[in-house]
Amino acid sequence: MSRIRLLPDIVASQVAAGEVVERPPASVVKELIENSIDAGARKIEILIRRGGISLVRVVDDGCGMDRDDALLSLERHATSKIRSAADLAAIATLGFRGEALPSIASVSRFRLTTREPNAIAGTEIIVNGGKIDVVRDGGEAPGTQVEVRSLFYNLPARRKFLRSENTESRNIEHQLQLQAIGHPQIAFSFVRDTRLVFQLPPAASLHDRIRDLYGNELLERLLPVSGAGLDKIEISGLVGRAGLSRQTRAQQLVFVNGRAVESPVVTAALREGYHTALMKGQFPVTFLFLKLDPASVDVNVHPAKREVRFRDPTAVREAVVNSIRRALEGGRSDWQEKFHAPAAPPRPTIGTTAKIPEAPPRELPQLGGALGERYNVVAGVADPGRAAAKPDELPSRTRTQGDSSPRQFQIIGILNKLYVLMENADGLVLVDQHAAHERILFEELRRRMEEQGVPSQKLLIPQTFDLPPRDAEWVERNLSILQKMGIGIEGFGPNTFKIDSLPAFLQTSDPISFMQRVIDDLKSASDSSSALRLGEEMIAMTVCRHAVKANDPLRYLEVEKLIQDLLECDLPYCCPHGRPTMIQISLAELEKKFGRKV
Ligand code: ADP
Ligand code: MG
């Protein structure tokens, strides 16, 4: 008796579902969205219930299908995207395997409604566990709607492997972010259970899409990247400035011909490109787009199409490394050029990181007071004793990075106890001490947190405080982040917390009201912005802002030191919230104001 048997189609589909639906339910979402994108959708709406386990629904306004095609789309190996093996050599669509719909339909309660834009009626098809139960007229708006309910209801063994609703929701949200970033021109909305998580209008550019999705805070820390390489490789996108890093690869997004991929070749190239700009064990933030001739990249190497194989990996590596290096160099030098600022000194190595400023003050000349003394500031070297330079000795416009001239900025005095007035080659530079201090603290804090070593200071007497349950819950959830920032806080009974130490840079006499203000701020931030944006970074920003407010800006710090520390920052030109730290009023503007020149 023969032992070998052909598998019935449904079983074959269920087997294939193991690969296609490799990370369920996020991969269901991925496959459906890819189909919508391939169908030319301008708008895609995604709804999930219970982490996608009970329902995933994707609605698009794409080309739709007629009844024959709709039925065919559920057959194994049915695709409109390739016709012959030769087409595999140059795939321009996201899908091509013709496996997703039948696989998904074989392991769920599946409903497809679809209508072509000019058709009078559409089609509705209901499939349960791979068996077509209903085919009838249906489908209201042009486009396609797919509902996937009760994933793996007929395969209890696989259902057991689903993780918690929260984990699955997070995976789905990540998947959606990938698609949304990869296709800025398409509108996306995402509803999780009853909550609208995001609604993204069609964006004119990647820049706008990132702003809509992650906010200005992240955008401000990105640099444009571009480049080209052998084998007609083109590189574009936005990547994190030096100093911006993450503990996971979740925001290291790489797209090859519009497809989000995980490519060891590109990952290694990114690491090489960032080199010292990235700490060990950290990952860069990238929104990197590679465009290649479809024939030089094989996308048919992974069932979920997550990996790709490059025909010329070396060319890809070189192009990526070069474009990242150029982007990083460009970032600071834009600002340097504008303000005639010095180049940043080499980054201190881990363990010897500079000082969080604590030095007692030295009085600086207030405006209207003694103006005889001036201070020359360059990054890494403050030289207060030096006499004022004559204007003709000032560095000329053409001098740039690597210039050994010591006189980029000369401090003239302080205006209104807040603004530092300085002179540079172009005229007057005003620095907002608050904003500058916030920036310095923020970068310092971030660096220390990455090294797991924010110095903290014990309070003489530990203090306890109560919070309303909602706030308490928030604090509870973020306890480890707060502790990482040097805030010695722990639970002390229901809704009660104890503080026994604070970060050393924080010189407040009232830790409780400090904490209360931080919590209030963060709460309102988490109400108003998408949950995506709240995290370590936001908390660090808020702590820094209140730390600065708690201090008297003039007393806590020597001003030269402040400027010097500012110049050593990765992003000296704006505070963590994106406001400028310094502005320039050029001599030309002054001349105009005084009517010397028209
Ligand atoms: P593939 O995407 O690899 O071709 P699928 O099983 O995902 O395979 O889909 C099969 C076919 O069904 C596609 O080739 C396409 O023609 C059609 N299709 C699937 N989803 C949609 C959609 N949202 N809009 C229009 N056509 C679709
Ligand atoms: Mg597909």
Side-chain angles (χ1 to χ4, degrees), residues 19 33 41 58 110 133 177 282 306 312 335 349 386 388 474 487 555 562 583:
E19 301 185 319
I33 295 180
V58 174
F110 181 95
D133 281 340
Q177 289 178 34
Q282 300 278 314
R306 238 183 327 110
D312 188 350
W335 165 81
T349 46
R386 203 184 192 99
W474 185 90
I487 300 175
R555 297 215 64 85
L562 179 88
I583 54 173

Side-chain angles (χ1 to χ4, degrees), residues 394-413:
L394 288 170
S396 76
R397 214 168 224 304
T398 48
R399 295 200 199 168
T400 50
Q401 205 171 337
D403 190 333
S404 61
S405 164
R407 286 180 295 275
Q408 274 87 353
F409 293 117
Q410 296 172 68
I411 299 175
I412 303 167

